[in-house]
Amino acid sequence: MTQTQIAGLTKAELSEFVRELGEPAYRAQQIFTAVQQRRARSFDGITNLPKELRVKLSEHTAVSTLRLESRYISTDGTRRYLMKTHDDRPVETVFIPEERRDTICFSSQSGCPLQCTFCLTAQLGLLRNLTAGEIVEQIIVALNDAYSEGVQTPRGTNLVGMGAGEPFLNFDALLKAIRIIGDAEGLHIVANRITVSTAGIAPRIRELAAIPNRPHLAISLAAPTDELRNELMPINKKWPLDELLDACKEFEQSLKPGERFTFEYVMLKGVNDSNEQARQLANLLNRHSLRAKVNLIPHNPAEPLPYQPSPEERVESFREILESKGVQAFVRKPRGRDILAACGQLAARSAAPVSIQQQPR
Ligand code: SAH
C-alpha cells in the first residue's frame, strides 16, 4: 500500500490535489496551514474543514503515515523516537533541547546502505529510502511531542540530517522535504537552520554547489588516508579522498556569507586518533586549500561495534595539532548516548522506553 501523504506535498502539489477533488482552492491553503503550521496529524484534527470533506479526504489520502512506536528519554533531556512507516520500516528521530534552541536530528533512509564499520545503523542495511513526507513528518512528530500539536515553538529549531541513512543517496526527497519545511506558511524552518551530513557522495556535493537556498553541509571524513578510509568507510573506494576533496573545494568556492561547511571526524581509540594522523589530516586539508573547520566526534560505542571512544586527552592533543597547522577544530559533545540516540547509534533498538502516554505538558 502506498498512500499520498499530505505532509509530503508542496503547497503547489496540494492545490493541484484539491482541485482534482473538485474542491475550492482555499481548502488547499487551510489544509497546508493545519498540517505544516499547526502540525495536525489527522484530518479529524482539522476542524475548520466540513466533516464530509474530512471523510472524503481520508478516503483518498492521509495527513501522516508514521506511527510512533516508542520514545526514549535521556538523562540529558535528549529524546529518541522510534517510528514505523506504513510498510513497517523503522524510522528514528532525535530531539535535542539546548539552552537557546532545539535541534532535531532526522533520518533520510530506513537503515543505510553504506557499511561504515563504526556506525550501528550500517548493521540494518538499507531497508528503503524515506519519502519527502516521511522526512517532514519526523519534524512534526518531534515538535508535537515537545510542545503539543498546534502550539507555537517557544524557541528556534535547527535541523540536522545526521540520523539513519545517507541523505545524498535520497537527494530528491531530501531537497523536496527541505523546501516544504522551509515554507513560511508551514514549519518555516529555513535552509540556513538545516545542516546535512554526507559520507561523501562526490557528484551530489558538486550538485549542491550549484543550488541556491541550500542547507549547510558537513562531510564525514573519519580517516586521513585512503588506506584507512577504505577500511572504515567503504564508500571511499568509489569516491576516494582526492576526488571527494576536489568536490569539497568546488563546494567551498560556492559558499555565500552565512553558509557553513564543516568536516566531521569520529575519534576511534587507537585507530584514527594518533598525533601522526592529526598531522596527516591537517596536511590533507591544507593540500586541497580547504578552510572548513573540523568537528571531532568522540565515538559513541554500541554493541557489537569493535571500537572505543578516544580518551579526552587524546582528542585534545589531536585538536591542538590540527590548530597548530591552521585547521580550526572543535570537539562535539555527545548527547543521548544512554538511550542510543547519539551519532551512529540509531539502529531501531529498544532502550528502557518511557511510556509515550507520559507526555509532559
Ligand atoms: N550518512 C551520513 C549521515 C549520518 S552519520 C554521513 O555519513 O555523514 C552522521 C555522523 O555520525 C557522521 O559524521 C558519522 O561519521 C558519525 N558517526 C557514525 N557512527 C558514529 C559513532 N558510533 N560514534 C560517533 N559518531 C558516529
Side-chain angles (χ1 to χ4, degrees):
M1 177 193 76
T2 40
Q3 239 181 345
T4 323
Q5 205 181 348
I6 298 282
L9 302 182
T10 61
K11 229 186 288 163
E13 286 171 337
L14 187 56
S15 297
E16 176 62 18
F17 175 74
V18 163
R19 203 180 55 75
E20 278 170 10
L21 285 181
E23 294 295 328
Y26 69 91
R27 295 290 184 210
Q29 183 64 46
Q30 285 179 321
I31 297 170
F32 191 85
T33 310
V35 174
Q36 302 290 351
Q37 194 173 77
R38 297 206 304 276
R39 305 188 301 268
R41 299 276 294 143
S42 71
F43 288 116
D44 286 346
I46 314 181
T47 49
N48 54 348
L49 299 179
K51 183 93 201 311
E52 313 79 73
L53 178 57
R54 282 185 260 154
V55 172
K56 182 168 156 190
L57 285 164
S58 7
E59 281 161 8
H60 290 85
T61 178
V63 169
S64 52
T65 59
L66 292 184
R67 235 174 32 251
L68 183 56
E69 202 151 85
S70 326
R71 180 182 71 163
Y72 307 93
I73 303 186
S74 164
T75 50
D76 71 16
T78 300
R79 298 174 177 205
R80 174 166 67 98
Y81 307 99
L82 173 57
M83 294 167 273
K84 287 284 169 68
T85 61
H86 66 86
D87 55 348
D88 242 15
R89 309 296 190 185
V91 176
E92 284 172 288
T93 309
V94 180
F95 179 85
I96 308 153
E98 285 162 293
E99 226 167 281
R100 280 192 293 277
R101 60 165 184 271
D102 300 313
T103 299
I104 297 172
C105 177
F106 66 88
S107 295
S108 53
Q109 300 181 308
S110 180
C112 184
L114 305 183
Q115 294 170 330
C116 305
T117 55
F118 49 81
C119 180
L120 201 61
T121 310
Q123 314 225 336
L124 292 174
L126 177 64
L127 300 168
R128 72 163 167 81
N129 273 338
L130 298 181
T131 62
E134 287 162 343
I135 296 175
V136 174
E137 263 193 68
Q138 294 176 58
I139 315 308
I140 294 176
V141 167
L143 289 176
N144 282 354
D145 180 59
Y147 300 115
S148 296
E149 191 174 310
V151 177
Q152 229 186 340
T153 56
R155 45 202 185 149
T157 310
N158 288 352
L159 304 183
V160 292
M162 299 187 183
E166 170 46 50
F168 281 11
L169 293 178
N170 190 15
F171 202 58
D172 293 344
L174 173 79
L175 292 185
K176 185 179 180 194
I178 289 175
R179 272 203 314 280
I180 297 171
I181 289 168
D183 196 301
E185 290 170 324
L187 288 162
H188 201 191
I189 303 171
V190 296
N192 87 23
R193 300 199 74 127
I194 307 178
T195 303
V196 172
S197 175
T198 178
I201 315 297
R204 294 288 97 79
I205 296 170
R206 293 185 194 276
E207 219 173 297
L208 196 68
I211 294 179
N213 292 326
R214 60 193 175 191
H216 305 291
L217 181 63
I219 310 279
S220 301
L221 277 183
T225 63
D226 278 322
E227 196 189 357
L228 182 60
R229 199 164 186 269
N230 284 342
E231 199 182 297
L232 299 178
M233 300 179 70
I235 189 76
N236 192 66
K237 293 177 196 156
K238 196 153 179 189
W239 292 290
L241 280 170
D242 271 341
E243 205 175 323
L244 171 60
L245 296 181
D246 281 350
C248 288
K249 187 63 202 172
E250 186 177 326
F251 186 82
E252 195 174 82
Q253 281 164 337
S254 79
L255 283 176
K256 291 185 276 300
E259 290 186 323
R260 283 192 306 272
F261 180 44
T262 46
F263 291 104
E264 292 161 282
Y265 192 95
V266 54
M267 302 281 297
L268 310 168
K269 182 178 176 184
V271 175
N272 66 357
D273 63 353
S274 70
N275 289 349
E276 173 60 14
Q277 284 160 324
R279 283 189 286 274
Q280 285 174 330
L281 178 60
N283 292 344
L284 179 72
L285 297 179
N286 288 334
R287 197 161 67 241
H288 285 266
S289 339
L290 285 158
R291 316 241 154 292
K293 62 174 190 170
V294 177
N295 277 327
L296 301 172
I297 316 175
H299 182 252
N300 298 308
E303 281 290 326
L305 300 177
Y307 303 103
Q308 288 306 313
S310 307
E312 226 169 279
E313 321 77 68
R314 187 89 296 278
V315 177
E316 189 45 32
S317 85
F318 197 94
R319 193 190 66 76
E320 279 167 14
I321 292 172
L322 292 179
E323 292 275 353
S324 74
K325 290 179 156 281
V327 175
Q328 272 194 72
F330 300 86
V331 181
R332 233 184 24 214
K333 204 169 123 214
R335 297 285 305 260
R337 264 183 181 170
D338 56 336
I339 54 160
L340 295 176
C343 286
Q345 290 188 314
L346 300 183
R349 295 240 180 116
S350 54
V354 173
S355 152
I356 53 178
Q357 265 77 50
Q358 288 174 21
Q359 296 190 8
R361 294 282 168 215

